[in-house]
Amino acid sequence: MTTILYVEDHPPARLLMQAIVAEMTDYTLLDAENGEQARHIATQAKPDLYILDMDLPDTNGVELSAVLHEIHPAPVIVVSAYAEAIQTGHLQETVTYYMAKPLDPDRVTELIQRALTG
């Protein structure tokens, strides 16, 4: 079973990601609302993939990717409503992919599979 940790403070986005991952065979989705919860879950669950919102209440997705990489290295997808900022900004080397909101289920599925297969 492949475990994904999704860190997102917006409940409708979490519900959408839950629905997308529920359609994928052999995947389990864990979710957190902020960086502190994410650190705790990563320590316990050792996820195979992180999907991180760029704008969290206590951190941002790029900074959190580096912290989570220290806890348990895994591919990272950063998600943002401000895709242009991600494209022109400097991503940590711990970020594997970025994705714009609103979430497109087909794109989410594609990036999850791509991130996990290298």
Side-chain angles (χ1 to χ4, degrees):
M1 185 69 65
T2 300
T3 302
I4 300 168
L5 174 56
Y6 181 46
V7 186
E8 168 65 67
D9 63 323
H10 190 62
R14 283 198 314 272
L15 289 173
L16 177 56
M17 186 65 74
Q18 289 168 357
I20 293 168
V21 174
E23 295 293 318
M24 302 173 73
T25 307
D26 296 326
Y27 289 81
T28 299
L29 183 72
L30 305 174
D31 59 41
E33 295 180 15
N34 56 51
E36 182 179 343
Q37 288 179 358
R39 289 187 293 275
H40 177 74
I41 293 170
T43 300
Q44 301 299 315
K46 308 282 192 251
D48 301 294
L49 174 66
Y50 300 109
I51 302 176
L52 312 174
D53 184 43
M54 185 65 165
D55 187 27
L56 296 165
D58 60 347
T59 187
N60 70 59
V62 174
E63 291 174 359
L64 184 57
S65 72
V67 171
L68 295 176
H69 185 77
E70 290 296 318
I71 294 170
H72 178 73
V76 174
I77 299 171
V78 170
V79 180
S80 177
Y82 308 103
E84 184 177 300
I86 293 175
Q87 292 172 353
T88 59
H90 299 292
L91 296 179
Q92 296 277 347
E93 60 184 45
T94 55
V95 175
T96 311
Y97 296 104
Y98 64 88
M99 179 174 21
K101 289 182 179 178
L103 296 176
D104 174 322
D106 292 334
R107 179 76 173 145
V108 171
T109 301
E110 173 192 343
L111 281 183
I112 287 172
Q113 292 172 341
R114 190 183 304 171
L116 289 168
T117 59

mmCIF file of all heavy atoms in Angstrom, residues 27 48-51 74-77 96-97 108-118:
data_model
loop_
_atom_site.group_PDB
_atom_site.id
_atom_site.type_symbol
_atom_site.label_atom_id
_atom_site.label_comp_id
_atom_site.label_asym_id
_atom_site.label_seq_id
_atom_site.Cartn_x
_atom_site.Cartn_y
_atom_site.Cartn_z
ATOM 1 N N TYR A 27 -3.611 2.903 -2.838
ATOM 2 C CA TYR A 27 -3.104 4.162 -2.295
ATOM 3 C C TYR A 27 -3.901 4.532 -1.057
ATOM 4 O O TYR A 27 -5.123 4.404 -1.033
ATOM 5 C CB TYR A 27 -3.229 5.295 -3.316
ATOM 6 C CG TYR A 27 -2.275 5.182 -4.468
ATOM 7 C CD1 TYR A 27 -2.548 4.334 -5.538
ATOM 8 C CD2 TYR A 27 -1.098 5.916 -4.500
ATOM 9 C CE1 TYR A 27 -1.670 4.219 -6.606
ATOM 10 C CE2 TYR A 27 -0.215 5.807 -5.565
ATOM 11 C CZ TYR A 27 -0.508 4.957 -6.614
ATOM 12 O OH TYR A 27 0.359 4.844 -7.660
ATOM 13 N N ASP A 48 5.158 7.657 1.343
ATOM 14 C CA ASP A 48 5.877 7.429 0.094
ATOM 15 C C ASP A 48 5.888 8.676 -0.783
ATOM 16 O O ASP A 48 6.692 8.782 -1.702
ATOM 17 C CB ASP A 48 5.217 6.283 -0.683
ATOM 18 C CG ASP A 48 5.211 5.007 0.126
ATOM 19 O OD1 ASP A 48 6.306 4.474 0.381
ATOM 20 O OD2 ASP A 48 4.116 4.561 0.528
ATOM 21 N N LEU A 49 4.974 9.620 -0.503
ATOM 22 C CA LEU A 49 4.840 10.839 -1.300
ATOM 23 C C LEU A 49 4.218 11.921 -0.434
ATOM 24 O O LEU A 49 3.321 11.639 0.369
ATOM 25 C CB LEU A 49 3.937 10.582 -2.517
ATOM 26 C CG LEU A 49 3.569 11.777 -3.389
ATOM 27 C CD1 LEU A 49 4.793 12.341 -4.101
ATOM 28 C CD2 LEU A 49 2.486 11.383 -4.390
ATOM 29 N N TYR A 50 4.700 13.156 -0.616
ATOM 30 C CA TYR A 50 4.097 14.321 0.030
ATOM 31 C C TYR A 50 3.471 15.198 -1.042
ATOM 32 O O TYR A 50 4.093 15.448 -2.076
ATOM 33 C CB TYR A 50 5.157 15.167 0.745
ATOM 34 C CG TYR A 50 5.927 14.449 1.820
ATOM 35 C CD1 TYR A 50 7.272 14.123 1.632
ATOM 36 C CD2 TYR A 50 5.336 14.114 3.028
ATOM 37 C CE1 TYR A 50 8.002 13.486 2.615
ATOM 38 C CE2 TYR A 50 6.059 13.468 4.024
ATOM 39 C CZ TYR A 50 7.390 13.156 3.814
ATOM 40 O OH TYR A 50 8.104 12.529 4.799
ATOM 41 N N ILE A 51 2.255 15.683 -0.772
ATOM 42 C CA ILE A 51 1.628 16.705 -1.606
ATOM 43 C C ILE A 51 1.350 17.876 -0.669
ATOM 44 O O ILE A 51 0.605 17.731 0.306
ATOM 45 C CB ILE A 51 0.338 16.208 -2.280
ATOM 46 C CG1 ILE A 51 0.621 14.974 -3.136
ATOM 47 C CG2 ILE A 51 -0.280 17.327 -3.120
ATOM 48 C CD1 ILE A 51 -0.601 14.338 -3.763
ATOM 49 N N ALA A 74 11.070 11.595 0.615
ATOM 50 C CA ALA A 74 10.075 11.079 -0.326
ATOM 51 C C ALA A 74 9.849 12.161 -1.374
ATOM 52 O O ALA A 74 10.121 13.336 -1.123
ATOM 53 C CB ALA A 74 8.765 10.748 0.394
ATOM 54 N N PRO A 75 9.352 11.787 -2.551
ATOM 55 C CA PRO A 75 9.045 12.805 -3.560
ATOM 56 C C PRO A 75 8.013 13.804 -3.033
ATOM 57 O O PRO A 75 7.182 13.455 -2.189
ATOM 58 C CB PRO A 75 8.468 11.999 -4.727
ATOM 59 C CG PRO A 75 8.883 10.591 -4.491
ATOM 60 C CD PRO A 75 9.060 10.432 -3.015
ATOM 61 N N VAL A 76 8.068 15.031 -3.568
ATOM 62 C CA VAL A 76 7.183 16.104 -3.121
ATOM 63 C C VAL A 76 6.525 16.772 -4.327
ATOM 64 O O VAL A 76 7.208 17.122 -5.287
ATOM 65 C CB VAL A 76 7.968 17.180 -2.328
ATOM 66 C CG1 VAL A 76 7.070 18.365 -1.982
ATOM 67 C CG2 VAL A 76 8.590 16.587 -1.079
ATOM 68 N N ILE A 77 5.217 16.949 -4.225
ATOM 69 C CA ILE A 77 4.471 17.764 -5.174
ATOM 70 C C ILE A 77 3.960 18.974 -4.397
ATOM 71 O O ILE A 77 3.296 18.826 -3.376
ATOM 72 C CB ILE A 77 3.281 16.990 -5.777
ATOM 73 C CG1 ILE A 77 3.757 15.752 -6.532
ATOM 74 C CG2 ILE A 77 2.469 17.909 -6.701
ATOM 75 C CD1 ILE A 77 2.640 14.816 -6.975
ATOM 76 N N THR A 96 9.763 17.815 -6.111
ATOM 77 C CA THR A 96 9.855 17.040 -7.341
ATOM 78 C C THR A 96 9.024 17.671 -8.460
ATOM 79 O O THR A 96 9.477 17.793 -9.592
ATOM 80 C CB THR A 96 9.369 15.597 -7.089
ATOM 81 O OG1 THR A 96 10.025 15.088 -5.920
ATOM 82 C CG2 THR A 96 9.684 14.699 -8.264
ATOM 83 N N TYR A 97 7.784 18.060 -8.128
ATOM 84 C CA TYR A 97 6.865 18.639 -9.102
ATOM 85 C C TYR A 97 6.046 19.744 -8.438
ATOM 86 O O TYR A 97 5.924 19.788 -7.220
ATOM 87 C CB TYR A 97 5.872 17.596 -9.642
ATOM 88 C CG TYR A 97 6.515 16.490 -10.425
ATOM 89 C CD1 TYR A 97 6.680 15.234 -9.870
ATOM 90 C CD2 TYR A 97 6.944 16.698 -11.727
ATOM 91 C CE1 TYR A 97 7.270 14.202 -10.590
ATOM 92 C CE2 TYR A 97 7.536 15.674 -12.452
ATOM 93 C CZ TYR A 97 7.698 14.435 -11.870
ATOM 94 O OH TYR A 97 8.281 13.434 -12.589
ATOM 95 N N VAL A 108 -3.595 15.357 -11.293
ATOM 96 C CA VAL A 108 -3.185 14.859 -9.974
ATOM 97 C C VAL A 108 -2.753 13.407 -10.082
ATOM 98 O O VAL A 108 -1.672 13.022 -9.621
ATOM 99 C CB VAL A 108 -4.320 15.014 -8.938
ATOM 100 C CG1 VAL A 108 -3.975 14.306 -7.637
ATOM 101 C CG2 VAL A 108 -4.626 16.487 -8.679
ATOM 102 N N THR A 109 -3.578 12.596 -10.709
ATOM 103 C CA THR A 109 -3.275 11.175 -10.867
ATOM 104 C C THR A 109 -1.965 10.985 -11.631
ATOM 105 O O THR A 109 -1.114 10.178 -11.239
ATOM 106 C CB THR A 109 -4.426 10.458 -11.587
ATOM 107 O OG1 THR A 109 -5.621 10.627 -10.825
ATOM 108 C CG2 THR A 109 -4.136 8.979 -11.770
ATOM 109 N N GLU A 110 -1.804 11.725 -12.715
ATOM 110 C CA GLU A 110 -0.581 11.634 -13.522
ATOM 111 C C GLU A 110 0.659 11.985 -12.702
ATOM 112 O O GLU A 110 1.660 11.267 -12.740
ATOM 113 C CB GLU A 110 -0.689 12.570 -14.723
ATOM 114 C CG GLU A 110 0.588 12.672 -15.541
ATOM 115 C CD GLU A 110 0.548 13.824 -16.538
ATOM 116 O OE1 GLU A 110 -0.528 14.353 -16.845
ATOM 117 O OE2 GLU A 110 1.642 14.195 -17.004
ATOM 118 N N LEU A 111 0.610 13.090 -11.970
ATOM 119 C CA LEU A 111 1.786 13.507 -11.201
ATOM 120 C C LEU A 111 2.088 12.568 -10.040
ATOM 121 O O LEU A 111 3.255 12.316 -9.734
ATOM 122 C CB LEU A 111 1.634 14.940 -10.692
ATOM 123 C CG LEU A 111 1.896 16.022 -11.710
ATOM 124 C CD1 LEU A 111 1.792 17.401 -11.075
ATOM 125 C CD2 LEU A 111 3.260 15.862 -12.363
ATOM 126 N N ILE A 112 1.051 12.035 -9.400
ATOM 127 C CA ILE A 112 1.293 11.064 -8.334
ATOM 128 C C ILE A 112 2.027 9.860 -8.897
ATOM 129 O O ILE A 112 3.034 9.414 -8.354
ATOM 130 C CB ILE A 112 -0.039 10.639 -7.659
ATOM 131 C CG1 ILE A 112 -0.575 11.787 -6.781
ATOM 132 C CG2 ILE A 112 0.151 9.373 -6.831
ATOM 133 C CD1 ILE A 112 -1.968 11.541 -6.225
ATOM 134 N N GLN A 113 1.537 9.327 -9.996
ATOM 135 C CA GLN A 113 2.166 8.145 -10.585
ATOM 136 C C GLN A 113 3.581 8.460 -11.067
ATOM 137 O O GLN A 113 4.508 7.663 -10.856
ATOM 138 C CB GLN A 113 1.305 7.597 -11.706
ATOM 139 C CG GLN A 113 0.019 7.019 -11.170
ATOM 140 C CD GLN A 113 -0.979 6.624 -12.245
ATOM 141 O OE1 GLN A 113 -0.896 7.067 -13.385
ATOM 142 N NE2 GLN A 113 -1.947 5.811 -11.870
ATOM 143 N N ARG A 114 3.764 9.613 -11.675
ATOM 144 C CA ARG A 114 5.096 10.013 -12.161
ATOM 145 C C ARG A 114 6.073 10.182 -10.991
ATOM 146 O O ARG A 114 7.212 9.722 -11.055
ATOM 147 C CB ARG A 114 5.010 11.293 -12.969
ATOM 148 C CG ARG A 114 6.317 11.600 -13.683
ATOM 149 C CD ARG A 114 6.289 12.892 -14.439
ATOM 150 N NE ARG A 114 5.213 12.959 -15.416
ATOM 151 C CZ ARG A 114 4.888 14.052 -16.066
ATOM 152 N NH1 ARG A 114 5.519 15.180 -15.851
ATOM 153 N NH2 ARG A 114 3.913 14.044 -16.954
ATOM 154 N N ALA A 115 5.626 10.838 -9.933
ATOM 155 C CA ALA A 115 6.496 11.077 -8.776
ATOM 156 C C ALA A 115 6.907 9.774 -8.107
ATOM 157 O O ALA A 115 8.035 9.625 -7.638
ATOM 158 C CB ALA A 115 5.792 11.989 -7.772
ATOM 159 N N LEU A 116 6.003 8.814 -8.075
ATOM 160 C CA LEU A 116 6.295 7.559 -7.387
ATOM 161 C C LEU A 116 7.113 6.587 -8.228
ATOM 162 O O LEU A 116 7.765 5.695 -7.694
ATOM 163 C CB LEU A 116 4.999 6.901 -6.934
ATOM 164 C CG LEU A 116 4.309 7.626 -5.782
ATOM 165 C CD1 LEU A 116 2.906 7.092 -5.574
ATOM 166 C CD2 LEU A 116 5.135 7.510 -4.507
ATOM 167 N N THR A 117 7.101 6.751 -9.543
ATOM 168 C CA THR A 117 7.864 5.845 -10.392
ATOM 169 C C THR A 117 9.201 6.440 -10.805
ATOM 170 O O THR A 117 10.014 5.761 -11.436
ATOM 171 C CB THR A 117 7.077 5.469 -11.658
ATOM 172 O OG1 THR A 117 6.760 6.653 -12.387
ATOM 173 C CG2 THR A 117 5.815 4.705 -11.302
ATOM 174 N N GLY A 118 9.422 7.705 -10.448
ATOM 175 C CA GLY A 118 10.712 8.344 -10.753
ATOM 176 C C GLY A 118 10.759 8.784 -12.164
ATOM 177 O O GLY A 118 11.650 9.114 -12.796
#
